[in-house]
Amino acid sequence: MKNKLIFFSLAMSLGLLGQTVKVVSSTENYDSNGIVYNNSLFFSKNNKLAQFNGVSVVNLPNPNDNGQPIDGKLTGSMIIYNNKLCYNYDYTYLFSTAPTQYRTKDYIITYDGSTQTAFWNSDAGSDGGIFIHDNGGEAGPVLYNGKLIFKGSYYGGSNLFTFDGQVVKKIPNQYNISSSSNRIKLGDWALVYNNILYFSYVGDGNWDGIGKFDGTSITKITNNNQEYWGGIFALNNTLYFKMYFMSNPAAYSMGTYDPAVNDVSMISSPNMFLSGGGKPLMYNSKAYMTSGGGKFAIFDGLTTTEIPNLNMNDKGVAGSRVLFGNNIYFPYQDSNMKYFLGQYSGTSISLIPNASTSDQGIGKSLIEFNGELYFTYTTTISPTPKTFLAKYDGQNITVLPNPDSGQGVQDSKFVVYGNDLYFPYKNAAGIINMAKYGTTVLSTKETVKDVGVSIFKDNNGFSVVSKTEKITKIEVLDASGRAILNTKANAQKYSFDIGVHGVFIVNVTLDNGKVSTLKVRN
């Protein structure tokens, strides 16, 4: 541990040979919602759209409605849809100060690189309209049958809204739309499976159940003695999720749905009480998830195997799992409420030591960038804890210096743009800016457009072919940037099936370390 502390001090003072965290100028009041589109990084600051081209920031004008500027707020995250930037923009958060005729107006805005176009959501009420989250949040939109599906508020309850690029439409709700208990959750609570959208839906009961949307109407498939806890996934042509079955017998367990008989039933599994609602990591035809008590668990389609926590009183797995190298990594909380980088190597879990035993440890957001794993890291520097950017290279954790005495890097959304990693940073004045870390020179894991790699559609779904090098890894991202496939390979041809419609980015890593980025439409 002494050697690690020495290395930590050197890293903090020397800045790791010139690679340091830098605040991007003119990004004050950054709303932590950056997204890459049309060779630029777009984000909102002060709830208005801004564009960063790698050199400077340009503030875009307000969108228009019938020729009049809309002085509203960009709320939430942004996504890419039909090759356009898409975001929510409304007056509902300015209800007391907005002009009377606009107080209930809610918009979806699209931007094609030159023009912002506003689409009015006429069903929005004074209590709010459509919301857009990312990172698995319950208002994370879903692409279904070529349309975006949003969660939105409607007079106290929540509803599904669709957007086809021209019209925002509310889906008729099977139950009482004015009930505040009529909750809907998308994001990690939703999945498109066999051309049906499944999601969290209360409907006529008091508990979160499961609803399905076939493109026309919503149907609830659980009864009022079955509570949905999230964690939905498909494996071996079967749909699974976490449930609380209140009778016959009562248990926190995994459930499955049989559409042939329209029935949700319990399957044998460990206790799933307080195991979190996030989706599992799908890898090598297995689902890597969290079971009750924060235990690391693996489901192969027949059996769920639990890996015990390292100590009895540990909280265990405390965030999402990511594949890095040949291992699976995740945040892990011990009995002293400190966070570590947990590692599953195929048989057991272990912890990567923090830089100091007194530190709070790592954050919950993990991202692979330039062959290393990045996350936030909180120390115990007096008088106020500081949070830094940190990285793990497969051997050691390195904590990177902050550019000033502020609170530091915020544990939120990471964005890769060019060859830099971007993230929110709270400076010494208490203002959140956008900051970056990286280098303008491509590393050995260089991203190129053409390294002799091609992709085509066949009877197996999609096949990627490399002319010379073996393919070692396939990553598929949907329009919102969410990874829907992350798998290893060891051949010059690899086939996979996406299963849903839309435009996808396919990152193909070769044996020589190069990465080819391809775009496909399913």
Side-chain angles (χ1 to χ4, degrees):
M1 187 61 67
K2 182 177 180 181
N3 290 335
K4 291 183 181 294
L5 287 172
I6 292 174
F7 180 74
F8 171 74
S9 299
L10 288 173
M12 295 290 287
S13 61
L14 297 179
L16 288 178
L17 302 179
Q19 292 190 29
T20 60
V21 172
K22 298 179 180 179
V23 173
V24 180
S25 61
S26 301
T27 61
E28 63 281 350
N29 297 315
Y30 171 51
D31 294 322
S32 304
N33 58 355
I35 187 170
V36 177
Y37 169 69
N38 204 24
N39 297 319
S40 292
L41 176 57
F42 288 83
F43 61 98
S44 66
K45 66 173 189 174
N46 296 312
N47 301 112
K48 304 291 185 179
L49 185 63
Q51 177 182 2
F52 176 62
N53 62 6
V55 178
S56 60
V57 173
V58 175
N59 299 316
L60 275 68
N62 287 331
N64 291 323
D65 180 19
N66 293 323
Q68 297 297 317
I70 310 170
D71 191 17
K73 297 178 69 175
L74 194 168
T75 57
S77 301
M78 297 178 281
I79 55 174
I80 308 298
Y81 173 63
N82 282 351
N83 296 318
K84 296 178 181 179
L85 189 66
C86 182
Y87 62 91
N88 175 241
Y89 192 84
D90 61 34
Y91 279 101
T92 59
Y93 290 90
L94 303 172
F95 185 78
S96 61
T97 58
T100 303
Q101 65 270 31
Y102 290 118
R103 289 184 181 181
T104 62
K105 287 210 169 184
D106 177 66
Y107 298 89
I108 293 296
I109 309 294
T110 63
Y111 177 66
D112 62 5
S114 60
T115 303
Q116 296 187 76
T117 304
F119 300 91
W120 177 37
N121 174 18
S122 60
D123 287 310
S126 60
D127 55 346
I130 286 172
F131 308 102
I132 300 179
H133 294 163
D134 56 15
N135 292 332
E138 64 180 65
V142 178
L143 186 65
Y144 172 63
N145 280 347
K147 299 179 181 180
L148 281 178
I149 310 296
F150 296 108
K151 171 185 175 177
S153 179
Y154 184 82
Y155 293 109
S158 54
N159 279 78
L160 291 184
F161 290 79
T162 66
F163 178 60
D164 61 1
Q166 296 296 324
V167 177
V168 181
K169 180 181 178 182
K170 181 175 69 69
I171 302 303
N173 198 314
Q174 181 182 5
Y175 298 103
N176 181 10
I177 61 174
S178 64
S179 171
S180 61
S181 64
N182 180 27
R183 297 182 300 273
I184 283 176
K185 296 179 183 178
L186 297 177
D188 272 355
W189 284 264
L191 183 72
V192 175
Y193 174 69
N194 284 346
N195 207 35
I196 299 291
L197 172 61
Y198 295 87
F199 58 96
S200 179
Y201 178 58
V202 174
D204 62 339
N206 296 318
W207 315 108
D208 292 288
I210 300 175
K212 66 177 182 179
F213 175 58
D214 61 4
T216 302
S217 58
I218 297 170
T219 305
K220 188 176 179 182
I221 65 174
T222 49
N223 62 50
N224 289 333
N225 290 320
Q226 298 169 335
E227 184 181 8
Y228 175 43
W229 279 47
I232 189 170
F233 66 97
L235 182 64
N236 298 336
N237 297 316
T238 305
L239 190 64
Y240 297 96
F241 26 72
K242 297 176 182 179
M243 299 287 299
Y244 172 38
F245 295 89
M246 303 180 193
S247 60
N248 299 323
Y252 294 91
S253 181
M254 286 178 59
T256 186
Y257 174 63
D258 185 350
V261 295
N262 196 37
D263 182 54
V264 175
S265 58
M266 184 191 306
I267 64 172
S268 176
S269 76
N271 187 339
M272 291 291 168
F273 181 62
L274 297 180
S275 58
K279 288 179 180 176
L281 170 68
M282 308 303 295
Y283 174 55
N284 279 348
S285 300
K286 295 179 181 179
Y288 295 84
M289 64 180 74
T290 307
S291 61
K295 297 183 181 68
F296 190 93
I298 307 104
F299 178 63
D300 62 6
L302 295 173
T303 305
T304 304
T305 302
E306 277 189 316
I307 307 298
N309 287 338
L310 296 175
N311 295 289
M312 181 180 299
N313 294 323
D314 286 355
K315 302 296 182 180
V317 178
S320 299
R321 296 140 295 272
V322 299
L323 181 66
F324 175 60
N326 295 316
N327 299 321
I328 295 173
Y329 292 85
F330 47 90
Y332 183 95
Q333 189 178 26
D334 69 5
S335 59
N336 295 314
M337 310 304 255
K338 297 185 182 300
Y339 290 89
F340 296 83
L341 182 62
Q343 172 185 270
Y344 173 72
S345 58
T347 56
S348 61
I349 62 173
S350 58
L351 302 182
I352 309 303
N354 286 336
S356 170
T357 56
S358 62
D359 288 344
Q360 182 65 32
I362 78 165
K364 294 187 177 182
S365 300
L366 310 177
I367 184 172
E368 182 178 351
F369 170 64
N370 276 354
E372 296 176 302
L373 194 62
Y374 285 77
F375 40 86
T376 61
Y377 185 93
T378 302
T379 67
T380 53
I381 297 176
S382 180
T384 304
K386 307 290 183 181
T387 302
F388 301 84
L389 181 68
K391 62 181 182 178
Y392 175 67
D393 62 3
Q395 298 293 326
N396 300 296
I397 290 177
T398 301
V399 182
L400 305 166
N402 283 340
D404 64 16
S405 60
Q407 181 180 322
V409 181
Q410 303 297 287
D411 189 11
S412 183
K413 183 178 181 180
F414 289 108
V415 181
V416 176
Y417 170 54
N419 205 51
D420 294 311
L421 185 65
Y422 291 80
F423 41 87
Y425 180 88
K426 182 175 285 190
N427 64 18
I431 298 172
I432 293 180
N433 289 254
M434 186 168 67
K436 70 174 185 176
Y437 173 80
T439 170
T440 56
V441 180
L442 287 175
S443 71
T444 55
K445 288 188 177 292
E446 137 187 64
T447 300
V448 293
K449 291 184 178 179
D450 185 11
V451 288
V453 175
S454 59
I455 188 169
F456 58 90
K457 201 167 186 178
D458 57 18
N459 292 333
N460 296 317
F462 289 92
S463 289
V464 179
V465 176
S466 171
K467 293 181 180 179
T468 57
E469 301 286 336
K470 281 187 177 182
I471 299 168
T472 60
K473 181 181 177 182
I474 300 285
E475 180 186 43
V476 180
L477 308 177
D478 66 11
S480 68
R482 178 183 296 278
I484 63 172
L485 176 68
N486 193 327
T487 186
K488 300 290 184 179
N490 188 31
Q492 287 182 247
K493 179 179 179 180
Y494 187 85
S495 299
F496 60 93
D497 186 21
I498 295 178
V500 293
H501 297 293
V503 178
F504 301 87
I505 299 298
V506 181
N507 295 319
V508 183
T509 304
L510 302 180
D511 196 41
N512 61 6
K514 291 186 177 181
V515 179
S516 180
T517 299
L518 309 167
K519 181 185 290 186
V520 297
R521 181 183 295 273
N522 191 24

